[in-house]
Amino acid sequence: MAKITMISGPNLNLLGKREPAIYGNLTLDDIQKNIMHLFGKDHEINHFQSNHEGAIIDALHDAAIWADGIVINAGAYTHTSIAIRDAISSTGLPCAEIHLSNVYARENFRHTSLIAPVCIGQISGFGAHSYELGIHALLNYLSRN
Ligand code: DQA
């Protein structure tokens, strides 16, 4: 059994309503329920969403205490936040970076991820399925390390 924290950043609370052509019709609650359905029996998974950089940093610090790994969709903070990058790094935990949209097929400013260098890998472009793929990738990593 692995202990995983799944963190979603700013504006992801609006999934389902927010630009559905880009982000799909599922809500974050739908996505979390699906994750629990798929992985909740075998693993402990904690979900956290915030629109606030400091709250995400606090959640990362908490993860360092109890979790084995992190799956994060840092939203727009991916492209701007050295503080979130440093917090991920400070946990010493494996972290999978995920995005619903294919950030490389979008605006140039989305092509840079400040957190990618401190993550084990990145999944981008598979819609809600990216969350599931992120958990699979992290579990696979944990089983090998
Ligand atoms: C996102 C991509 C980011 O560029 C954007 O700011 C988001 C969502 C994604 O899941 O595709 O808020 O992280």
Side-chain angles (χ1 to χ4, degrees), residues 101-108 110-111 124:
S101 64
N102 177 356
V103 286
Y104 300 101
R106 301 181 64 195
E107 301 93 330
N108 281 337
R110 295 185 206 277
H111 299 180
S124 175

Side-chain angles (χ1 to χ4, degrees), residues 54-96:
I56 294 168
I57 291 165
D58 288 342
L60 287 162
H61 293 177
D62 281 353
I65 296 165
W66 74 271
D68 300 316
I70 301 159
V71 173
I72 189 166
N73 181 354
Y77 284 141
T78 304
H79 319 297
T80 64
S81 180
I82 296 169
I84 289 178
R85 172 198 169 118
D86 285 351
I88 292 170
S89 187
S90 79
T91 65
L93 297 174
C95 179

